[in-house]
Amino acid sequence: LHTDQDKGDGNLKYILTGDGAGNLFVIDENTGDIHAAKKLDREEKSLYILRAKAIDRKTGRQVEPESEFIIKIHDINDNEPKFTKDLYTATVPEMSGV
């Protein structure tokens, strides 16, 4: 997150709110850089909605409208197969379809 109002003099503070703000997602209040602080798992939660804003440190006023971020988590196959027996038997008839 960055605003054209930011002159790099430290007069602005960036604030992040919403799902997971402060624990899963963190913002550098001086630069506006947003990072995921932990590994995200789609099986726990697949969608996060965050809002970020830049405020003037002296007045506490927003310098431009709040931004909304929708973060969608895609799944990877991170669950290895578990086999309960040592040996499995199966048959496939000849000329079977794929």
Side-chain angles (χ1 to χ4, degrees), residues 1 3 5 8 19 24 48 52 64 66 71 77 82 96:
L1 178 71
T3 175
Q5 305 292 325
D19 300 334
L24 285 179
Y48 296 88
E64 61 182 47
E66 189 173 77
I71 300 169
N77 189 7
K82 295 188 183 345
S96 292

Side-chain angles (χ1 to χ4, degrees), residues 57-92:
R57 287 184 189 271
K58 294 176 186 169
T59 66
R61 291 186 180 164
Q62 272 185 228
V63 295
E64 61 182 47
E66 189 173 77
S67 298
E68 182 178 82
F69 300 90
I70 298 173
I71 300 169
K72 295 178 182 179
I73 310 301
H74 294 277
D75 197 19
I76 59 170
N77 189 7
D78 58 350
N79 297 315
E80 60 187 50
K82 295 188 183 345
F83 297 97
T84 57
K85 297 189 258 181
D86 289 335
L87 181 65
Y88 290 84
T89 306
T91 58
V92 178

